[in-house]
Amino acid sequence: MISMLYSIVSPVLLLALPVVGVSTAYGSISGSMARSGYMRGQTVAASTRSTEAPSGAQGKTILLDVPDIVERVNQVVVNVRSLSEGGENLGSGFIVDQRGLIATNFHLITNTESRRGRAPRTGDQTAQPKLVNSVTVTLHDGRQFPASIKGYDEATDIALLEIVPSGPALPVAEIGDSDALRVGDWVIAIGNPLGLDHTVTLGIVSAKGRTGFGGQFDDFLQTDAAINPGNSGGPLVNAQGKIVGINTLVLERSQGLSFSIPINTLKAILPQLIDRGRVTRGYLGVETRDVDADLRGLYKLPPDSKGVLVVRAERGTPAARAGLRKDDLITSIDNLTITSYVQFNRIIASKAPGAKVALRILRDGREYTLNVEIMEEAKKQ
């Protein structure tokens, strides 16, 4: 079992990561340390030096300067308050453009019952949502501005606000790469839980790719950094001080189960939100589920089979026109192996309407290739 010992020098957290062995410990700190170093081969805003762990295993002591990271990132974190028919929504956000663009959660701008930072549950994803009556943004330095809704994407629970800033130039968030995160990496959550401005919590990435919360694009980062109602829309930050997630979901009656949207999800749709205010996605019209051991046994599939099982192909959709049927196993798209329904949905969604893709399927023990033309999903008004 891995054990960890905490040591505080000034207000800085020391983390000792041994190269071999299963225990971690801390050596003494002496002399000056470089302002940058390496963690798992990546440059980080921390100081490092090699040291001997008590067990004799060669280790590396890493100085994670949490106060320095927080001081820098706090400048881009904002309070978001919206008024809706259901009451007041309180949350957070962060500045992504000096012109006054702010990323936050979609559920903070919906004109429904007050959620106070909790993520929405599933509903009619094609229905046109009602938006809040007004949004107010408060910056770290106390400046307050009314905000307009520049764009939103209900499917990923992301919204883009816009303010017309006056006074000093706005700081801008430094965006990281959520795909590069590893389970066990240290992360910092910043936000306004329960209206307590700019609260900071520390934890690790507990898991990646969490699904099962009712969204077709669920791909959450799980963290044990404390996230509470009001943290919604605030940043999850890595050890380099870069934003790697958007805090969005807390499981009620649980401890250490908090979830964030990977920042790469925002990066993928941000240009569309800026240019068009909405996101255009490819549409196939098929409902799928992951293949597990039970399904492999039921359908007599090989133990190492991968893909997604077709639960339903809606009439009049590209899936139905291409000949997809219930119980077909989709194994690849354009020769790319399919491993989960979330991956499948994201690939289809990334295709432009009119694009043609080749689906490799397994049906009754035989393989087929179906050519499908992607269309855009119609939105109800």
PDB file of all heavy atoms in Angstrom, residues 195-227:
ATOM      1  N   GLY A 195     -21.118  30.434  -2.078  1.00  0.00           N
ATOM      2  CA  GLY A 195     -20.926  31.872  -2.061  1.00  0.00           C
ATOM      3  C   GLY A 195     -19.656  32.339  -1.380  1.00  0.00           C
ATOM      4  O   GLY A 195     -19.451  33.546  -1.208  1.00  0.00           O
ATOM      5  N   LEU A 196     -18.778  31.418  -0.984  1.00  0.00           N
ATOM      6  CA  LEU A 196     -17.510  31.781  -0.345  1.00  0.00           C
ATOM      7  C   LEU A 196     -16.466  32.031  -1.433  1.00  0.00           C
ATOM      8  O   LEU A 196     -15.939  31.097  -2.032  1.00  0.00           O
ATOM      9  CB  LEU A 196     -17.063  30.666   0.609  1.00  0.00           C
ATOM     10  CG  LEU A 196     -18.054  30.325   1.724  1.00  0.00           C
ATOM     11  CD1 LEU A 196     -17.590  29.104   2.494  1.00  0.00           C
ATOM     12  CD2 LEU A 196     -18.226  31.521   2.656  1.00  0.00           C
ATOM     13  N   ASP A 197     -16.170  33.313  -1.657  1.00  0.00           N
ATOM     14  CA  ASP A 197     -15.360  33.705  -2.808  1.00  0.00           C
ATOM     15  C   ASP A 197     -13.995  33.035  -2.837  1.00  0.00           C
ATOM     16  O   ASP A 197     -13.293  32.952  -1.830  1.00  0.00           O
ATOM     17  CB  ASP A 197     -15.154  35.227  -2.816  1.00  0.00           C
ATOM     18  CG  ASP A 197     -16.445  35.973  -3.105  1.00  0.00           C
ATOM     19  OD1 ASP A 197     -17.450  35.298  -3.377  1.00  0.00           O
ATOM     20  OD2 ASP A 197     -16.428  37.214  -3.057  1.00  0.00           O
ATOM     21  N   HIS A 198     -13.622  32.578  -4.039  1.00  0.00           N
ATOM     22  CA  HIS A 198     -12.266  32.115  -4.348  1.00  0.00           C
ATOM     23  C   HIS A 198     -11.733  31.123  -3.311  1.00  0.00           C
ATOM     24  O   HIS A 198     -10.661  31.297  -2.743  1.00  0.00           O
ATOM     25  CB  HIS A 198     -11.330  33.316  -4.499  1.00  0.00           C
ATOM     26  CG  HIS A 198     -11.679  34.155  -5.690  1.00  0.00           C
ATOM     27  ND1 HIS A 198     -11.076  34.004  -6.915  1.00  0.00           N
ATOM     28  CD2 HIS A 198     -12.588  35.140  -5.847  1.00  0.00           C
ATOM     29  CE1 HIS A 198     -11.602  34.863  -7.780  1.00  0.00           C
ATOM     30  NE2 HIS A 198     -12.529  35.559  -7.152  1.00  0.00           N
ATOM     31  N   THR A 199     -12.515  30.086  -3.085  1.00  0.00           N
ATOM     32  CA  THR A 199     -12.076  28.998  -2.213  1.00  0.00           C
ATOM     33  C   THR A 199     -11.172  28.053  -2.998  1.00  0.00           C
ATOM     34  O   THR A 199     -11.427  27.748  -4.158  1.00  0.00           O
ATOM     35  CB  THR A 199     -13.297  28.238  -1.669  1.00  0.00           C
ATOM     36  OG1 THR A 199     -14.053  29.113  -0.834  1.00  0.00           O
ATOM     37  CG2 THR A 199     -12.867  27.030  -0.858  1.00  0.00           C
ATOM     38  N   VAL A 200     -10.126  27.565  -2.346  1.00  0.00           N
ATOM     39  CA  VAL A 200      -9.136  26.707  -2.993  1.00  0.00           C
ATOM     40  C   VAL A 200      -9.102  25.355  -2.291  1.00  0.00           C
ATOM     41  O   VAL A 200      -9.049  25.287  -1.059  1.00  0.00           O
ATOM     42  CB  VAL A 200      -7.731  27.345  -2.938  1.00  0.00           C
ATOM     43  CG1 VAL A 200      -6.685  26.420  -3.547  1.00  0.00           C
ATOM     44  CG2 VAL A 200      -7.738  28.693  -3.638  1.00  0.00           C
ATOM     45  N   THR A 201      -9.155  24.275  -3.062  1.00  0.00           N
ATOM     46  CA  THR A 201      -9.005  22.925  -2.517  1.00  0.00           C
ATOM     47  C   THR A 201      -7.998  22.150  -3.357  1.00  0.00           C
ATOM     48  O   THR A 201      -7.821  22.419  -4.546  1.00  0.00           O
ATOM     49  CB  THR A 201     -10.343  22.171  -2.482  1.00  0.00           C
ATOM     50  OG1 THR A 201     -10.904  22.139  -3.802  1.00  0.00           O
ATOM     51  CG2 THR A 201     -11.311  22.837  -1.525  1.00  0.00           C
ATOM     52  N   LEU A 202      -7.352  21.176  -2.727  1.00  0.00           N
ATOM     53  CA  LEU A 202      -6.285  20.408  -3.365  1.00  0.00           C
ATOM     54  C   LEU A 202      -6.625  18.926  -3.339  1.00  0.00           C
ATOM     55  O   LEU A 202      -7.170  18.419  -2.355  1.00  0.00           O
ATOM     56  CB  LEU A 202      -4.963  20.651  -2.626  1.00  0.00           C
ATOM     57  CG  LEU A 202      -3.744  19.840  -3.084  1.00  0.00           C
ATOM     58  CD1 LEU A 202      -3.298  20.293  -4.468  1.00  0.00           C
ATOM     59  CD2 LEU A 202      -2.601  20.002  -2.075  1.00  0.00           C
ATOM     60  N   GLY A 203      -6.304  18.226  -4.405  1.00  0.00           N
ATOM     61  CA  GLY A 203      -6.528  16.791  -4.459  1.00  0.00           C
ATOM     62  C   GLY A 203      -5.803  16.182  -5.637  1.00  0.00           C
ATOM     63  O   GLY A 203      -4.862  16.770  -6.166  1.00  0.00           O
ATOM     64  N   ILE A 204      -6.257  15.010  -6.049  1.00  0.00           N
ATOM     65  CA  ILE A 204      -5.649  14.337  -7.184  1.00  0.00           C
ATOM     66  C   ILE A 204      -6.725  13.972  -8.200  1.00  0.00           C
ATOM     67  O   ILE A 204      -7.918  14.017  -7.909  1.00  0.00           O
ATOM     68  CB  ILE A 204      -4.903  13.058  -6.765  1.00  0.00           C
ATOM     69  CG1 ILE A 204      -5.882  12.041  -6.148  1.00  0.00           C
ATOM     70  CG2 ILE A 204      -3.757  13.368  -5.818  1.00  0.00           C
ATOM     71  CD1 ILE A 204      -5.291  10.667  -5.937  1.00  0.00           C
ATOM     72  N   VAL A 205      -6.290  13.618  -9.395  1.00  0.00           N
ATOM     73  CA  VAL A 205      -7.185  13.048 -10.388  1.00  0.00           C
ATOM     74  C   VAL A 205      -7.453  11.607  -9.972  1.00  0.00           C
ATOM     75  O   VAL A 205      -6.551  10.777  -9.958  1.00  0.00           O
ATOM     76  CB  VAL A 205      -6.570  13.094 -11.798  1.00  0.00           C
ATOM     77  CG1 VAL A 205      -7.493  12.400 -12.798  1.00  0.00           C
ATOM     78  CG2 VAL A 205      -6.298  14.532 -12.222  1.00  0.00           C
ATOM     79  N   SER A 206      -8.678  11.317  -9.596  1.00  0.00           N
ATOM     80  CA  SER A 206      -9.028   9.982  -9.117  1.00  0.00           C
ATOM     81  C   SER A 206      -9.319   9.019 -10.259  1.00  0.00           C
ATOM     82  O   SER A 206      -9.108   7.809 -10.127  1.00  0.00           O
ATOM     83  CB  SER A 206     -10.252  10.058  -8.203  1.00  0.00           C
ATOM     84  OG  SER A 206     -10.028  10.962  -7.127  1.00  0.00           O
ATOM     85  N   ALA A 207      -9.822   9.542 -11.370  1.00  0.00           N
ATOM     86  CA  ALA A 207     -10.137   8.701 -12.529  1.00  0.00           C
ATOM     87  C   ALA A 207     -10.399   9.611 -13.720  1.00  0.00           C
ATOM     88  O   ALA A 207     -10.629  10.816 -13.567  1.00  0.00           O
ATOM     89  CB  ALA A 207     -11.345   7.816 -12.258  1.00  0.00           C
ATOM     90  N   LYS A 208     -10.347   9.016 -14.902  1.00  0.00           N
ATOM     91  CA  LYS A 208     -10.661   9.740 -16.134  1.00  0.00           C
ATOM     92  C   LYS A 208     -11.739   8.981 -16.890  1.00  0.00           C
ATOM     93  O   LYS A 208     -11.961   7.798 -16.684  1.00  0.00           O
ATOM     94  CB  LYS A 208      -9.409   9.871 -17.010  1.00  0.00           C
ATOM     95  CG  LYS A 208      -8.289  10.683 -16.393  1.00  0.00           C
ATOM     96  CD  LYS A 208      -7.058  10.706 -17.297  1.00  0.00           C
ATOM     97  CE  LYS A 208      -7.328  11.372 -18.624  1.00  0.00           C
ATOM     98  NZ  LYS A 208      -6.125  11.478 -19.460  1.00  0.00           N
ATOM     99  N   GLY A 209     -12.437   9.705 -17.770  1.00  0.00           N
ATOM    100  CA  GLY A 209     -13.418   9.066 -18.624  1.00  0.00           C
ATOM    101  C   GLY A 209     -14.633   8.537 -17.906  1.00  0.00           C
ATOM    102  O   GLY A 209     -15.245   7.556 -18.345  1.00  0.00           O
ATOM    103  N   ARG A 210     -15.043   9.191 -16.836  1.00  0.00           N
ATOM    104  CA  ARG A 210     -16.219   8.740 -16.106  1.00  0.00           C
ATOM    105  C   ARG A 210     -17.494   9.018 -16.916  1.00  0.00           C
ATOM    106  O   ARG A 210     -17.693  10.128 -17.431  1.00  0.00           O
ATOM    107  CB  ARG A 210     -16.313   9.428 -14.753  1.00  0.00           C
ATOM    108  CG  ARG A 210     -15.265   8.982 -13.741  1.00  0.00           C
ATOM    109  CD  ARG A 210     -15.350   7.497 -13.476  1.00  0.00           C
ATOM    110  NE  ARG A 210     -14.629   7.124 -12.265  1.00  0.00           N
ATOM    111  CZ  ARG A 210     -14.206   5.904 -11.992  1.00  0.00           C
ATOM    112  NH1 ARG A 210     -14.434   4.926 -12.860  1.00  0.00           N
ATOM    113  NH2 ARG A 210     -13.575   5.651 -10.872  1.00  0.00           N
ATOM    114  N   THR A 211     -18.371   8.025 -17.003  1.00  0.00           N
ATOM    115  CA  THR A 211     -19.621   8.154 -17.739  1.00  0.00           C
ATOM    116  C   THR A 211     -20.774   7.697 -16.845  1.00  0.00           C
ATOM    117  O   THR A 211     -20.587   7.407 -15.671  1.00  0.00           O
ATOM    118  CB  THR A 211     -19.581   7.286 -19.012  1.00  0.00           C
ATOM    119  OG1 THR A 211     -19.419   5.903 -18.635  1.00  0.00           O
ATOM    120  CG2 THR A 211     -18.416   7.683 -19.913  1.00  0.00           C
ATOM    121  N   GLY A 212     -21.962   7.648 -17.434  1.00  0.00           N
ATOM    122  CA  GLY A 212     -23.103   7.113 -16.706  1.00  0.00           C
ATOM    123  C   GLY A 212     -23.938   8.144 -15.985  1.00  0.00           C
ATOM    124  O   GLY A 212     -24.737   7.795 -15.114  1.00  0.00           O
ATOM    125  N   PHE A 213     -23.785   9.435 -16.346  1.00  0.00           N
ATOM    126  CA  PHE A 213     -24.570  10.484 -15.698  1.00  0.00           C
ATOM    127  C   PHE A 213     -25.702  10.975 -16.598  1.00  0.00           C
ATOM    128  O   PHE A 213     -26.293  12.013 -16.339  1.00  0.00           O
ATOM    129  CB  PHE A 213     -23.669  11.649 -15.296  1.00  0.00           C
ATOM    130  CG  PHE A 213     -22.628  11.266 -14.281  1.00  0.00           C
ATOM    131  CD1 PHE A 213     -21.337  10.977 -14.670  1.00  0.00           C
ATOM    132  CD2 PHE A 213     -22.949  11.156 -12.943  1.00  0.00           C
ATOM    133  CE1 PHE A 213     -20.372  10.608 -13.740  1.00  0.00           C
ATOM    134  CE2 PHE A 213     -22.000  10.787 -12.004  1.00  0.00           C
ATOM    135  CZ  PHE A 213     -20.710  10.512 -12.406  1.00  0.00           C
ATOM    136  N   GLY A 214     -25.962  10.242 -17.668  1.00  0.00           N
ATOM    137  CA  GLY A 214     -27.117  10.551 -18.504  1.00  0.00           C
ATOM    138  C   GLY A 214     -26.818  11.354 -19.744  1.00  0.00           C
ATOM    139  O   GLY A 214     -27.709  11.538 -20.576  1.00  0.00           O
ATOM    140  N   GLY A 215     -25.581  11.842 -19.918  1.00  0.00           N
ATOM    141  CA  GLY A 215     -25.255  12.625 -21.094  1.00  0.00           C
ATOM    142  C   GLY A 215     -24.582  11.777 -22.158  1.00  0.00           C
ATOM    143  O   GLY A 215     -23.796  10.881 -21.850  1.00  0.00           O
ATOM    144  N   GLN A 216     -24.877  12.062 -23.427  1.00  0.00           N
ATOM    145  CA  GLN A 216     -24.290  11.264 -24.500  1.00  0.00           C
ATOM    146  C   GLN A 216     -22.815  11.571 -24.710  1.00  0.00           C
ATOM    147  O   GLN A 216     -22.106  10.795 -25.359  1.00  0.00           O
ATOM    148  CB  GLN A 216     -25.052  11.500 -25.811  1.00  0.00           C
ATOM    149  CG  GLN A 216     -25.041  12.938 -26.304  1.00  0.00           C
ATOM    150  CD  GLN A 216     -25.737  13.094 -27.631  1.00  0.00           C
ATOM    151  OE1 GLN A 216     -25.643  12.206 -28.479  1.00  0.00           O
ATOM    152  NE2 GLN A 216     -26.447  14.195 -27.821  1.00  0.00           N
ATOM    153  N   PHE A 217     -22.325  12.684 -24.133  1.00  0.00           N
ATOM    154  CA  PHE A 217     -20.913  13.015 -24.264  1.00  0.00           C
ATOM    155  C   PHE A 217     -20.192  13.009 -22.917  1.00  0.00           C
ATOM    156  O   PHE A 217     -19.141  13.632 -22.764  1.00  0.00           O
ATOM    157  CB  PHE A 217     -20.744  14.390 -24.932  1.00  0.00           C
ATOM    158  CG  PHE A 217     -21.384  14.464 -26.291  1.00  0.00           C
ATOM    159  CD1 PHE A 217     -22.455  15.302 -26.524  1.00  0.00           C
ATOM    160  CD2 PHE A 217     -20.918  13.675 -27.331  1.00  0.00           C
ATOM    161  CE1 PHE A 217     -23.051  15.369 -27.769  1.00  0.00           C
ATOM    162  CE2 PHE A 217     -21.520  13.732 -28.580  1.00  0.00           C
ATOM    163  CZ  PHE A 217     -22.588  14.583 -28.807  1.00  0.00           C
ATOM    164  N   ASP A 218     -20.755  12.307 -21.945  1.00  0.00           N
ATOM    165  CA  ASP A 218     -20.111  12.219 -20.625  1.00  0.00           C
ATOM    166  C   ASP A 218     -18.686  11.692 -20.763  1.00  0.00           C
ATOM    167  O   ASP A 218     -18.452  10.651 -21.393  1.00  0.00           O
ATOM    168  CB  ASP A 218     -20.893  11.275 -19.706  1.00  0.00           C
ATOM    169  CG  ASP A 218     -22.170  11.899 -19.194  1.00  0.00           C
ATOM    170  OD1 ASP A 218     -22.408  13.077 -19.498  1.00  0.00           O
ATOM    171  OD2 ASP A 218     -22.931  11.208 -18.492  1.00  0.00           O
ATOM    172  N   ASP A 219     -17.753  12.420 -20.181  1.00  0.00           N
ATOM    173  CA  ASP A 219     -16.342  12.010 -20.228  1.00  0.00           C
ATOM    174  C   ASP A 219     -15.614  12.716 -19.093  1.00  0.00           C
ATOM    175  O   ASP A 219     -14.586  13.353 -19.293  1.00  0.00           O
ATOM    176  CB  ASP A 219     -15.737  12.381 -21.579  1.00  0.00           C
ATOM    177  CG  ASP A 219     -14.329  11.842 -21.761  1.00  0.00           C
ATOM    178  OD1 ASP A 219     -14.016  10.804 -21.147  1.00  0.00           O
ATOM    179  OD2 ASP A 219     -13.545  12.457 -22.502  1.00  0.00           O
ATOM    180  N   PHE A 220     -16.145  12.608 -17.872  1.00  0.00           N
ATOM    181  CA  PHE A 220     -15.713  13.451 -16.770  1.00  0.00           C
ATOM    182  C   PHE A 220     -14.363  13.032 -16.188  1.00  0.00           C
ATOM    183  O   PHE A 220     -14.010  11.848 -16.165  1.00  0.00           O
ATOM    184  CB  PHE A 220     -16.749  13.439 -15.651  1.00  0.00           C
ATOM    185  CG  PHE A 220     -18.035  14.120 -16.002  1.00  0.00           C
ATOM    186  CD1 PHE A 220     -19.204  13.389 -16.151  1.00  0.00           C
ATOM    187  CD2 PHE A 220     -18.084  15.491 -16.196  1.00  0.00           C
ATOM    188  CE1 PHE A 220     -20.404  14.007 -16.465  1.00  0.00           C
ATOM    189  CE2 PHE A 220     -19.274  16.124 -16.511  1.00  0.00           C
ATOM    190  CZ  PHE A 220     -20.431  15.374 -16.653  1.00  0.00           C
ATOM    191  N   LEU A 221     -13.660  14.036 -15.670  1.00  0.00           N
ATOM    192  CA  LEU A 221     -12.532  13.799 -14.787  1.00  0.00           C
ATOM    193  C   LEU A 221     -13.075  13.674 -13.372  1.00  0.00           C
ATOM    194  O   LEU A 221     -13.888  14.504 -12.950  1.00  0.00           O
ATOM    195  CB  LEU A 221     -11.544  14.973 -14.830  1.00  0.00           C
ATOM    196  CG  LEU A 221     -10.934  15.338 -16.184  1.00  0.00           C
ATOM    197  CD1 LEU A 221     -10.163  16.650 -16.066  1.00  0.00           C
ATOM    198  CD2 LEU A 221     -10.049  14.229 -16.695  1.00  0.00           C
ATOM    199  N   GLN A 222     -12.665  12.656 -12.653  1.00  0.00           N
ATOM    200  CA  GLN A 222     -13.061  12.518 -11.250  1.00  0.00           C
ATOM    201  C   GLN A 222     -11.900  12.976 -10.379  1.00  0.00           C
ATOM    202  O   GLN A 222     -10.749  12.636 -10.634  1.00  0.00           O
ATOM    203  CB  GLN A 222     -13.412  11.063 -10.922  1.00  0.00           C
ATOM    204  CG  GLN A 222     -13.855  10.862  -9.474  1.00  0.00           C
ATOM    205  CD  GLN A 222     -14.120   9.401  -9.164  1.00  0.00           C
ATOM    206  OE1 GLN A 222     -14.442   8.625 -10.055  1.00  0.00           O
ATOM    207  NE2 GLN A 222     -13.966   9.029  -7.908  1.00  0.00           N
ATOM    208  N   THR A 223     -12.209  13.756  -9.354  1.00  0.00           N
ATOM    209  CA  THR A 223     -11.175  14.257  -8.452  1.00  0.00           C
ATOM    210  C   THR A 223     -11.660  14.195  -7.013  1.00  0.00           C
ATOM    211  O   THR A 223     -12.865  14.230  -6.756  1.00  0.00           O
ATOM    212  CB  THR A 223     -10.787  15.708  -8.793  1.00  0.00           C
ATOM    213  OG1 THR A 223      -9.850  16.194  -7.839  1.00  0.00           O
ATOM    214  CG2 THR A 223     -11.997  16.625  -8.781  1.00  0.00           C
ATOM    215  N   ASP A 224     -10.710  14.071  -6.093  1.00  0.00           N
ATOM    216  CA  ASP A 224     -11.083  14.136  -4.680  1.00  0.00           C
ATOM    217  C   ASP A 224     -10.818  15.522  -4.103  1.00  0.00           C
ATOM    218  O   ASP A 224     -10.969  15.724  -2.898  1.00  0.00           O
ATOM    219  CB  ASP A 224     -10.368  13.057  -3.864  1.00  0.00           C
ATOM    220  CG  ASP A 224      -8.866  13.241  -3.806  1.00  0.00           C
ATOM    221  OD1 ASP A 224      -8.335  14.123  -4.519  1.00  0.00           O
ATOM    222  OD2 ASP A 224      -8.215  12.501  -3.054  1.00  0.00           O
ATOM    223  N   ALA A 225     -10.429  16.486  -4.950  1.00  0.00           N
ATOM    224  CA  ALA A 225     -10.380  17.876  -4.501  1.00  0.00           C
ATOM    225  C   ALA A 225     -11.810  18.309  -4.199  1.00  0.00           C
ATOM    226  O   ALA A 225     -12.712  18.099  -5.005  1.00  0.00           O
ATOM    227  CB  ALA A 225      -9.778  18.781  -5.581  1.00  0.00           C
ATOM    228  N   ALA A 226     -12.029  18.871  -3.024  1.00  0.00           N
ATOM    229  CA  ALA A 226     -13.394  19.196  -2.589  1.00  0.00           C
ATOM    230  C   ALA A 226     -14.042  20.191  -3.539  1.00  0.00           C
ATOM    231  O   ALA A 226     -13.524  21.274  -3.783  1.00  0.00           O
ATOM    232  CB  ALA A 226     -13.364  19.756  -1.179  1.00  0.00           C
ATOM    233  N   ILE A 227     -15.176  19.787  -4.095  1.00  0.00           N
ATOM    234  CA  ILE A 227     -15.980  20.639  -4.967  1.00  0.00           C
ATOM    235  C   ILE A 227     -17.394  20.641  -4.402  1.00  0.00           C
ATOM    236  O   ILE A 227     -17.967  19.583  -4.140  1.00  0.00           O
ATOM    237  CB  ILE A 227     -15.972  20.125  -6.420  1.00  0.00           C
ATOM    238  CG1 ILE A 227     -14.556  20.229  -7.011  1.00  0.00           C
ATOM    239  CG2 ILE A 227     -16.949  20.905  -7.278  1.00  0.00           C
ATOM    240  CD1 ILE A 227     -14.433  19.628  -8.401  1.00  0.00           C
TER     241      ILE A 227
END
